[in-house]
Amino acid sequence: MSRLTPALLTAALAVPTAHAVTPESLMDDYTKEAHHSTPTFNVPSAALGQHFFEKKHGEWSCSSCHTTNPAAPGRHAVTGKAIAPLAPAANPKSFRDTARVEKWFRRNCNDTLDRPCTAAEKADLIAYLLSVRKGG
Amino acid sequence: MRAIRVVAILALAAPALPVTTHAADVYAEECGACHLAYPSRLLSAADWGRILDDVAHHYGVDATLDEPARQIVAQRLGLPLPAASTAPATLPRITTSRWFVDEHDDVSVATFRSASVRSAANCAACHAGAARGDFDEDDVRIPGARP
């Protein structure tokens, strides 16, 4: 229990509930969380994030809906509905609300990976999306 | 999309707007992100109730809602509050609490469902000291996993 309590505190601090966040601050939060949960994790990697984004984990990849150009609008793989660009450079609303970000990680990681994404994967993914310039 | 943005701006500018504006916003965000934010008249309340009962398996995707959003969506779809359902009220679960999910984010669903674990509620399957309150991460042994 003595080991568990600090871990809980760290987890609670790593995911703030305040809405005034930026993609960079979210990436930093996930990085701190990853240092705790994934000892081998060092710094967020845009290259690993891109690999994760484009890799088919089962039936789907992130890019199945968001396309391999996250600066462009995506399209839902099942319904065909347009999806706003994911890259912050192309969408100022992207990664600005912790609850919204966590909701979509929850839903989409479950669909794509059949498990929650790790903090390390989230940090890498945001690093990649931040590296994408407008126009792709 | 532009209409949604206008609604969002109005909501920020005039917090005294009727609750229905917020409800429309929530419905558009929660239900309209992946498909059209369908008008409620397209199905019966009973059908909407069945759909809302299992949004975790929503036509092949996870469309889970938090409780405040679920209530707004239910209201928007013309369901009585709480949503018409034969299911018992949802009780809080340790295994779905934020800290639990964070602590176990490196454990796959397959592991939790494996024959030797069966359920995330089966703490002692991996935490040998669980019964005495010892969940030390260093002592975790996942059955079947390499040490």
Side-chain angles (χ1 to χ4, degrees):
Chain A
M1 201 61 189
S2 57
R3 281 292 302 276
L4 191 57
T5 307
L8 289 182
L9 283 172
T10 308
L13 289 170
V15 186
T17 51
H19 282 196
V21 297
T22 64
E24 291 83 359
S25 75
L26 276 168
M27 184 174 69
D28 289 346
D29 291 338
Y30 288 129
T31 299
K32 285 180 198 135
E33 199 182 331
H35 284 150
H36 166 70
S37 56
T38 311
T40 52
F41 185 82
N42 186 14
V43 293
S45 159
L48 285 177
Q50 180 172 7
H51 177 74
F52 179 81
F53 190 81
E54 295 176 359
K55 184 189 170 193
K56 266 195 157 186
H57 302 273
E59 189 186 350
W60 286 349
S61 65
C62 306
S63 55
S64 299
C65 294
H66 294 291
T67 83
T68 52
N69 176 9
R75 194 171 183 210
H76 195 281
V78 176
T79 69
K81 189 176 191 296
I83 298 170
L86 202 51
N91 180 358
K93 285 175 72 181
S94 204
F95 295 95
R96 291 282 174 172
D97 180 330
T98 305
R100 192 162 178 262
V101 169
E102 277 294 298
K103 177 184 80 182
W104 285 110
F105 272 134
R106 181 185 75 223
R107 290 177 173 179
N108 294 351
C109 295
N110 193 23
D111 286 338
T112 308
L113 302 142
D114 203 23
R115 63 165 173 80
C117 289
T118 66
E121 287 164 344
K122 293 175 186 176
D124 286 343
L125 188 66
I126 297 176
Y128 164 56
L129 294 173
L130 279 170
S131 75
V132 176
R133 307 307 347 149
K134 201 169 181 174
Chain B
M1 199 62 190
R2 181 158 298 164
I4 293 167
R5 271 196 212 111
V6 170
V7 169
I9 291 163
L10 283 175
L12 287 172
L17 275 178
V19 175
T20 47
T21 303
H22 174 61
D25 239 6
V26 170
Y27 187 67
E29 163 73 18
E30 297 297 331
C31 303
C34 297
H35 56 66
L36 182 81
Y38 299 119
S40 62
R41 64 178 182 279
L42 299 185
L43 283 176
S44 68
D47 282 341
W48 285 123
R50 285 176 57 208
I51 290 169
L52 259 190
D53 272 350
D54 192 11
V55 284
H57 305 93
H58 188 70
Y59 307 96
V61 303
D62 180 341
T64 45
L65 301 162
D66 63 24
E67 187 53 26
R70 198 192 66 81
Q71 289 195 12
I72 289 169
V73 168
Q75 193 176 23
R76 182 103 187 141
L77 293 172
L79 304 180
L81 283 177
S85 166
T86 52
T90 308
L91 294 171
R93 284 185 185 277
I94 292 167
T95 51
T96 55
S97 61
R98 182 53 170 273
W99 73 264
F100 186 97
V101 174
D102 283 346
E103 287 288 329
H104 296 85
D105 62 3
D106 49 351
V107 182
S108 71
V109 172
T111 299
F112 278 129
R113 288 181 183 164
S114 67
S116 44
V117 179
R118 295 191 70 89
S119 161
N122 185 13
C123 308
C126 306
H127 300 274
R132 56 177 189 275
D134 180 3
F135 294 91
D136 194 324
E137 197 165 357
D138 294 338
D139 298 331
V140 170
R141 294 288 177 272
I142 297 173
R146 279 176 294 175

mmCIF file of all heavy atoms in Angstrom, chain A residues 59-95:
data_model
loop_
_atom_site.group_PDB
_atom_site.id
_atom_site.type_symbol
_atom_site.label_atom_id
_atom_site.label_comp_id
_atom_site.label_asym_id
_atom_site.label_seq_id
_atom_site.Cartn_x
_atom_site.Cartn_y
_atom_site.Cartn_z
ATOM 1 N N GLU A 59 -7.326 -5.034 -37.367
ATOM 2 C CA GLU A 59 -8.066 -4.667 -38.576
ATOM 3 C C GLU A 59 -7.778 -3.221 -38.968
ATOM 4 O O GLU A 59 -7.760 -2.881 -40.147
ATOM 5 C CB GLU A 59 -9.565 -4.854 -38.288
ATOM 6 C CG GLU A 59 -10.468 -4.717 -39.486
ATOM 7 C CD GLU A 59 -11.949 -4.774 -39.100
ATOM 8 O OE1 GLU A 59 -12.257 -5.111 -37.927
ATOM 9 O OE2 GLU A 59 -12.783 -4.465 -39.953
ATOM 10 N N TRP A 60 -7.534 -2.377 -37.943
ATOM 11 C CA TRP A 60 -7.435 -0.945 -38.186
ATOM 12 C C TRP A 60 -6.107 -0.349 -37.732
ATOM 13 O O TRP A 60 -5.422 -0.883 -36.870
ATOM 14 C CB TRP A 60 -8.551 -0.205 -37.431
ATOM 15 C CG TRP A 60 -9.905 -0.353 -38.023
ATOM 16 C CD1 TRP A 60 -10.222 -0.875 -39.249
ATOM 17 C CD2 TRP A 60 -11.144 0.008 -37.408
ATOM 18 N NE1 TRP A 60 -11.581 -0.849 -39.427
ATOM 19 C CE2 TRP A 60 -12.175 -0.315 -38.332
ATOM 20 C CE3 TRP A 60 -11.486 0.575 -36.178
ATOM 21 C CZ2 TRP A 60 -13.524 -0.079 -38.052
ATOM 22 C CZ3 TRP A 60 -12.828 0.807 -35.898
ATOM 23 C CH2 TRP A 60 -13.828 0.489 -36.833
ATOM 24 N N SER A 61 -5.787 0.792 -38.307
ATOM 25 C CA SER A 61 -4.726 1.661 -37.805
ATOM 26 C C SER A 61 -5.380 3.006 -37.489
ATOM 27 O O SER A 61 -6.525 3.242 -37.872
ATOM 28 C CB SER A 61 -3.639 1.851 -38.864
ATOM 29 O OG SER A 61 -4.170 2.552 -39.972
ATOM 30 N N CYS A 62 -4.648 3.889 -36.828
ATOM 31 C CA CYS A 62 -5.167 5.245 -36.593
ATOM 32 C C CYS A 62 -5.486 5.899 -37.940
ATOM 33 O O CYS A 62 -6.487 6.603 -38.097
ATOM 34 C CB CYS A 62 -4.135 6.108 -35.871
ATOM 35 S SG CYS A 62 -3.497 5.421 -34.336
ATOM 36 N N SER A 63 -4.582 5.615 -38.925
ATOM 37 C CA SER A 63 -4.718 6.260 -40.219
ATOM 38 C C SER A 63 -5.875 5.701 -41.048
ATOM 39 O O SER A 63 -6.206 6.260 -42.091
ATOM 40 C CB SER A 63 -3.402 6.172 -40.997
ATOM 41 O OG SER A 63 -2.985 4.838 -41.108
ATOM 42 N N SER A 64 -6.497 4.612 -40.571
ATOM 43 C CA SER A 64 -7.676 4.105 -41.280
ATOM 44 C C SER A 64 -8.739 5.193 -41.387
ATOM 45 O O SER A 64 -9.436 5.297 -42.391
ATOM 46 C CB SER A 64 -8.283 2.908 -40.549
ATOM 47 O OG SER A 64 -7.386 1.835 -40.463
ATOM 48 N N CYS A 65 -8.864 5.987 -40.318
ATOM 49 C CA CYS A 65 -9.846 7.072 -40.318
ATOM 50 C C CYS A 65 -9.168 8.440 -40.483
ATOM 51 O O CYS A 65 -9.716 9.326 -41.128
ATOM 52 C CB CYS A 65 -10.649 7.080 -39.020
ATOM 53 S SG CYS A 65 -11.708 5.630 -38.785
ATOM 54 N N HIS A 66 -7.999 8.619 -39.868
ATOM 55 C CA HIS A 66 -7.354 9.941 -39.859
ATOM 56 C C HIS A 66 -6.454 10.150 -41.075
ATOM 57 O O HIS A 66 -5.912 11.235 -41.237
ATOM 58 C CB HIS A 66 -6.550 10.120 -38.563
ATOM 59 C CG HIS A 66 -7.406 10.179 -37.323
ATOM 60 N ND1 HIS A 66 -8.251 11.234 -37.039
ATOM 61 C CD2 HIS A 66 -7.554 9.302 -36.301
ATOM 62 C CE1 HIS A 66 -8.873 11.005 -35.878
ATOM 63 N NE2 HIS A 66 -8.477 9.844 -35.415
ATOM 64 N N THR A 67 -6.273 9.149 -41.904
ATOM 65 C CA THR A 67 -5.412 9.114 -43.092
ATOM 66 C C THR A 67 -3.935 9.268 -42.711
ATOM 67 O O THR A 67 -3.614 9.602 -41.565
ATOM 68 C CB THR A 67 -5.768 10.192 -44.156
ATOM 69 O OG1 THR A 67 -5.162 11.450 -43.802
ATOM 70 C CG2 THR A 67 -7.264 10.348 -44.325
ATOM 71 N N THR A 68 -3.054 9.028 -43.670
ATOM 72 C CA THR A 68 -1.618 9.143 -43.385
ATOM 73 C C THR A 68 -1.156 10.593 -43.437
ATOM 74 O O THR A 68 0.017 10.876 -43.255
ATOM 75 C CB THR A 68 -0.787 8.300 -44.373
ATOM 76 O OG1 THR A 68 -1.186 8.646 -45.701
ATOM 77 C CG2 THR A 68 -1.010 6.816 -44.142
ATOM 78 N N ASN A 69 -2.079 11.522 -43.687
ATOM 79 C CA ASN A 69 -1.757 12.947 -43.589
ATOM 80 C C ASN A 69 -2.659 13.587 -42.536
ATOM 81 O O ASN A 69 -3.757 14.043 -42.844
ATOM 82 C CB ASN A 69 -1.944 13.643 -44.938
ATOM 83 C CG ASN A 69 -1.698 15.149 -44.822
ATOM 84 O OD1 ASN A 69 -1.228 15.630 -43.781
ATOM 85 N ND2 ASN A 69 -2.015 15.892 -45.879
ATOM 86 N N PRO A 70 -2.201 13.610 -41.263
ATOM 87 C CA PRO A 70 -3.060 14.118 -40.173
ATOM 88 C C PRO A 70 -3.356 15.616 -40.281
ATOM 89 O O PRO A 70 -4.147 16.132 -39.506
ATOM 90 C CB PRO A 70 -2.240 13.822 -38.916
ATOM 91 C CG PRO A 70 -1.135 12.918 -39.338
ATOM 92 C CD PRO A 70 -0.895 13.160 -40.794
ATOM 93 N N ALA A 71 -2.732 16.301 -41.242
ATOM 94 C CA ALA A 71 -3.040 17.723 -41.444
ATOM 95 C C ALA A 71 -4.239 17.886 -42.368
ATOM 96 O O ALA A 71 -4.736 19.000 -42.564
ATOM 97 C CB ALA A 71 -1.828 18.460 -42.012
ATOM 98 N N ALA A 72 -4.682 16.778 -42.943
ATOM 99 C CA ALA A 72 -5.851 16.811 -43.836
ATOM 100 C C ALA A 72 -7.058 16.214 -43.111
ATOM 101 O O ALA A 72 -6.883 15.458 -42.156
ATOM 102 C CB ALA A 72 -5.552 16.013 -45.096
ATOM 103 N N PRO A 73 -8.257 16.555 -43.552
ATOM 104 C CA PRO A 73 -9.430 15.943 -42.927
ATOM 105 C C PRO A 73 -9.408 14.426 -43.112
ATOM 106 O O PRO A 73 -8.925 13.928 -44.137
ATOM 107 C CB PRO A 73 -10.607 16.547 -43.689
ATOM 108 C CG PRO A 73 -10.067 17.779 -44.329
ATOM 109 C CD PRO A 73 -8.626 17.499 -44.613
ATOM 110 N N GLY A 74 -9.914 13.722 -42.110
ATOM 111 C CA GLY A 74 -10.017 12.277 -42.208
ATOM 112 C C GLY A 74 -11.423 11.867 -42.590
ATOM 113 O O GLY A 74 -12.278 12.713 -42.888
ATOM 114 N N ARG A 75 -11.625 10.563 -42.591
ATOM 115 C CA ARG A 75 -12.942 10.041 -42.952
ATOM 116 C C ARG A 75 -13.177 8.763 -42.160
ATOM 117 O O ARG A 75 -12.346 7.848 -42.187
ATOM 118 C CB ARG A 75 -12.962 9.746 -44.455
ATOM 119 C CG ARG A 75 -14.335 9.526 -44.959
ATOM 120 C CD ARG A 75 -14.364 9.449 -46.474
ATOM 121 N NE ARG A 75 -15.727 9.311 -46.927
ATOM 122 C CZ ARG A 75 -16.089 8.675 -48.036
ATOM 123 N NH1 ARG A 75 -15.175 8.160 -48.818
ATOM 124 N NH2 ARG A 75 -17.350 8.577 -48.369
ATOM 125 N N HIS A 76 -14.305 8.707 -41.458
ATOM 126 C CA HIS A 76 -14.603 7.530 -40.640
ATOM 127 C C HIS A 76 -14.643 6.276 -41.515
ATOM 128 O O HIS A 76 -15.341 6.259 -42.532
ATOM 129 C CB HIS A 76 -15.936 7.728 -39.923
ATOM 130 C CG HIS A 76 -16.158 6.747 -38.807
ATOM 131 N ND1 HIS A 76 -16.561 5.458 -39.031
ATOM 132 C CD2 HIS A 76 -15.999 6.869 -37.463
ATOM 133 C CE1 HIS A 76 -16.662 4.828 -37.859
ATOM 134 N NE2 HIS A 76 -16.324 5.666 -36.893
ATOM 135 N N ALA A 77 -13.895 5.263 -41.129
ATOM 136 C CA ALA A 77 -13.735 4.073 -41.975
ATOM 137 C C ALA A 77 -15.044 3.318 -42.171
ATOM 138 O O ALA A 77 -15.213 2.620 -43.159
ATOM 139 C CB ALA A 77 -12.682 3.146 -41.362
ATOM 140 N N VAL A 78 -15.960 3.438 -41.226
ATOM 141 C CA VAL A 78 -17.215 2.704 -41.341
ATOM 142 C C VAL A 78 -18.325 3.595 -41.899
ATOM 143 O O VAL A 78 -18.999 3.236 -42.858
ATOM 144 C CB VAL A 78 -17.648 2.124 -39.975
ATOM 145 C CG1 VAL A 78 -19.008 1.451 -40.085
ATOM 146 C CG2 VAL A 78 -16.603 1.137 -39.465
ATOM 147 N N THR A 79 -18.500 4.756 -41.299
ATOM 148 C CA THR A 79 -19.639 5.596 -41.693
ATOM 149 C C THR A 79 -19.300 6.558 -42.822
ATOM 150 O O THR A 79 -20.197 7.096 -43.463
ATOM 151 C CB THR A 79 -20.123 6.451 -40.502
ATOM 152 O OG1 THR A 79 -19.118 7.434 -40.196
ATOM 153 C CG2 THR A 79 -20.386 5.602 -39.277
ATOM 154 N N GLY A 80 -18.003 6.802 -43.046
ATOM 155 C CA GLY A 80 -17.609 7.725 -44.110
ATOM 156 C C GLY A 80 -17.710 9.187 -43.727
ATOM 157 O O GLY A 80 -17.420 10.068 -44.535
ATOM 158 N N LYS A 81 -18.109 9.477 -42.471
ATOM 159 C CA LYS A 81 -18.270 10.869 -42.057
ATOM 160 C C LYS A 81 -16.912 11.571 -41.981
ATOM 161 O O LYS A 81 -15.925 10.984 -41.550
ATOM 162 C CB LYS A 81 -18.940 10.943 -40.690
ATOM 163 C CG LYS A 81 -19.338 12.357 -40.312
ATOM 164 C CD LYS A 81 -20.088 12.384 -38.992
ATOM 165 C CE LYS A 81 -20.713 13.742 -38.752
ATOM 166 N NZ LYS A 81 -19.739 14.817 -38.608
ATOM 167 N N ALA A 82 -16.897 12.830 -42.414
ATOM 168 C CA ALA A 82 -15.649 13.613 -42.371
ATOM 169 C C ALA A 82 -15.212 13.831 -40.935
ATOM 170 O O ALA A 82 -16.040 14.025 -40.042
ATOM 171 C CB ALA A 82 -15.854 14.942 -43.069
ATOM 172 N N ILE A 83 -13.906 13.793 -40.728
ATOM 173 C CA ILE A 83 -13.320 14.009 -39.403
ATOM 174 C C ILE A 83 -12.336 15.165 -39.519
ATOM 175 O O ILE A 83 -11.519 15.190 -40.439
ATOM 176 C CB ILE A 83 -12.588 12.731 -38.922
ATOM 177 C CG1 ILE A 83 -13.573 11.563 -38.795
ATOM 178 C CG2 ILE A 83 -11.867 12.965 -37.599
ATOM 179 C CD1 ILE A 83 -12.904 10.220 -38.560
ATOM 180 N N ALA A 84 -12.411 16.117 -38.608
ATOM 181 C CA ALA A 84 -11.515 17.277 -38.652
ATOM 182 C C ALA A 84 -10.055 16.819 -38.549
ATOM 183 O O ALA A 84 -9.773 15.804 -37.925
ATOM 184 C CB ALA A 84 -11.849 18.234 -37.515
ATOM 185 N N PRO A 85 -9.127 17.569 -39.161
ATOM 186 C CA PRO A 85 -7.710 17.177 -39.091
ATOM 187 C C PRO A 85 -7.251 17.026 -37.638
ATOM 188 O O PRO A 85 -7.703 17.754 -36.759
ATOM 189 C CB PRO A 85 -6.979 18.336 -39.763
ATOM 190 C CG PRO A 85 -7.998 19.009 -40.608
ATOM 191 C CD PRO A 85 -9.320 18.804 -39.912
ATOM 192 N N LEU A 86 -6.344 16.091 -37.416
ATOM 193 C CA LEU A 86 -5.882 15.801 -36.066
ATOM 194 C C LEU A 86 -4.659 16.645 -35.691
ATOM 195 O O LEU A 86 -4.443 16.956 -34.523
ATOM 196 C CB LEU A 86 -5.541 14.309 -35.990
ATOM 197 C CG LEU A 86 -5.511 13.616 -34.647
ATOM 198 C CD1 LEU A 86 -6.780 13.872 -33.858
ATOM 199 C CD2 LEU A 86 -5.331 12.113 -34.858
ATOM 200 N N ALA A 87 -3.847 17.009 -36.681
ATOM 201 C CA ALA A 87 -2.612 17.752 -36.395
ATOM 202 C C ALA A 87 -2.952 19.157 -35.885
ATOM 203 O O ALA A 87 -3.719 19.875 -36.520
ATOM 204 C CB ALA A 87 -1.759 17.845 -37.653
ATOM 205 N N PRO A 88 -2.376 19.549 -34.744
ATOM 206 C CA PRO A 88 -2.661 20.880 -34.193
ATOM 207 C C PRO A 88 -2.379 22.009 -35.190
ATOM 208 O O PRO A 88 -3.058 23.034 -35.171
ATOM 209 C CB PRO A 88 -1.731 20.963 -32.978
ATOM 210 C CG PRO A 88 -1.549 19.544 -32.557
ATOM 211 C CD PRO A 88 -1.527 18.748 -33.834
ATOM 212 N N ALA A 89 -1.402 21.819 -36.089
ATOM 213 C CA ALA A 89 -1.079 22.867 -37.059
ATOM 214 C C ALA A 89 -2.261 23.140 -37.991
ATOM 215 O O ALA A 89 -2.408 24.247 -38.505
ATOM 216 C CB ALA A 89 0.146 22.464 -37.882
ATOM 217 N N ALA A 90 -3.095 22.136 -38.184
ATOM 218 C CA ALA A 90 -4.216 22.275 -39.110
ATOM 219 C C ALA A 90 -5.552 22.411 -38.394
ATOM 220 O O ALA A 90 -6.578 22.663 -39.027
ATOM 221 C CB ALA A 90 -4.261 21.076 -40.059
ATOM 222 N N ASN A 91 -5.541 22.218 -37.075
ATOM 223 C CA ASN A 91 -6.798 22.252 -36.316
ATOM 224 C C ASN A 91 -6.537 22.822 -34.920
ATOM 225 O O ASN A 91 -6.048 22.117 -34.041
ATOM 226 C CB ASN A 91 -7.390 20.840 -36.226
ATOM 227 C CG ASN A 91 -8.692 20.800 -35.442
ATOM 228 O OD1 ASN A 91 -9.164 21.827 -34.920
ATOM 229 N ND2 ASN A 91 -9.273 19.625 -35.351
ATOM 230 N N PRO A 92 -6.855 24.109 -34.712
ATOM 231 C CA PRO A 92 -6.544 24.753 -33.425
ATOM 232 C C PRO A 92 -7.304 24.150 -32.241
ATOM 233 O O PRO A 92 -6.942 24.404 -31.092
ATOM 234 C CB PRO A 92 -6.958 26.213 -33.647
ATOM 235 C CG PRO A 92 -7.849 26.211 -34.835
ATOM 236 C CD PRO A 92 -7.472 25.015 -35.671
ATOM 237 N N LYS A 93 -8.341 23.344 -32.506
ATOM 238 C CA LYS A 93 -9.094 22.733 -31.408
ATOM 239 C C LYS A 93 -8.516 21.382 -30.989
ATOM 240 O O LYS A 93 -8.952 20.779 -30.011
ATOM 241 C CB LYS A 93 -10.557 22.543 -31.830
ATOM 242 C CG LYS A 93 -11.360 23.839 -31.829
ATOM 243 C CD LYS A 93 -12.756 23.637 -32.359
ATOM 244 C CE LYS A 93 -13.635 22.864 -31.393
ATOM 245 N NZ LYS A 93 -15.004 22.664 -31.947
ATOM 246 N N SER A 94 -7.528 20.918 -31.742
ATOM 247 C CA SER A 94 -6.974 19.597 -31.493
ATOM 248 C C SER A 94 -6.095 19.593 -30.233
ATOM 249 O O SER A 94 -5.232 20.457 -30.077
ATOM 250 C CB SER A 94 -6.146 19.178 -32.709
ATOM 251 O OG SER A 94 -6.041 17.782 -32.775
ATOM 252 N N PHE A 95 -6.317 18.633 -29.361
ATOM 253 C CA PHE A 95 -5.535 18.462 -28.121
ATOM 254 C C PHE A 95 -5.574 19.702 -27.235
ATOM 255 O O PHE A 95 -4.551 20.178 -26.761
ATOM 256 C CB PHE A 95 -4.082 18.059 -28.448
ATOM 257 C CG PHE A 95 -3.989 16.709 -29.099
ATOM 258 C CD1 PHE A 95 -3.931 16.583 -30.475
ATOM 259 C CD2 PHE A 95 -3.999 15.550 -28.322
ATOM 260 C CE1 PHE A 95 -3.880 15.325 -31.075
ATOM 261 C CE2 PHE A 95 -3.950 14.290 -28.919
ATOM 262 C CZ PHE A 95 -3.878 14.194 -30.301
#
